Amino acid sequence: GSNPIDPPTETIRIRLILTILETSGQYFEKGSLKKKCDLFLLFFQKYLLGKIQPLPIDVEYSVQDTLESIRPNIQMYSNISGVEEAIAEISPSLKGAFGEASP
């Protein structure tokens, strides 16, 4: 369904996230911060794929440029089921990734 706060055609949140990644992504290159950033990037891709496709070309290029600059070997997913599978593969370790005790 459509969210009135974040309509599927609105790209301002994408642009804001890209700005944050451009300015701070370099600080998430090692250790647990890298793992947390990689996890965030998976969920960000899921969010992107939930938007009306294709994204405006300037946004699409910005996404590609930003993600490739902070993670040159990032796997880009072309459909939501692919990214959901990747998230499901790591979901058992999610609690541990955020410092919470694993069950």
Side-chain angles (χ1 to χ4, degrees), residues 3-57:
N3 182 338
I5 295 174
D6 187 24
T9 56
E10 183 58 57
T11 61
I12 187 67
R13 284 174 177 79
I14 296 170
R15 294 172 195 272
L16 290 170
I17 290 168
L18 293 175
T19 299
I20 292 168
L21 288 172
E22 288 167 4
T23 57
S24 63
Q26 64 196 16
Y27 300 106
F28 296 93
E29 293 182 350
K30 294 182 181 172
S32 66
L33 289 179
K34 180 184 185 306
K35 289 179 185 177
K36 289 177 184 179
C37 185
D38 289 347
L39 180 62
F40 173 80
L41 293 175
L42 275 178
F43 280 97
F44 182 50
Q45 286 190 60
K46 181 177 177 179
Y47 175 77
L48 292 171
L49 292 167
K51 291 293 191 176
I52 295 292
Q53 299 293 322
L55 293 171
I57 196 72

Side-chain angles (χ1 to χ4, degrees), residues 36-102:
K36 289 177 184 179
C37 185
D38 289 347
L39 180 62
F40 173 80
L41 293 175
L42 275 178
F43 280 97
F44 182 50
Q45 286 190 60
K46 181 177 177 179
Y47 175 77
L48 292 171
L49 292 167
K51 291 293 191 176
I52 295 292
Q53 299 293 322
L55 293 171
I57 196 72
D58 63 316
V59 174
E60 183 64 39
Y61 285 149
S62 292
V63 167
Q64 290 174 2
D65 289 348
T66 302
L67 296 185
E68 288 174 4
S69 73
I70 62 169
R71 292 293 186 275
N73 299 318
I74 190 169
Q75 178 172 354
M76 295 298 294
Y77 293 90
S78 58
N79 59 58
I80 205 156
S81 63
V83 74
E84 285 178 342
E85 284 178 27
I87 291 169
E89 286 178 18
I90 60 166
S91 64
S93 64
L94 287 181
K95 288 185 179 178
F98 291 98
E100 299 172 11
S102 296

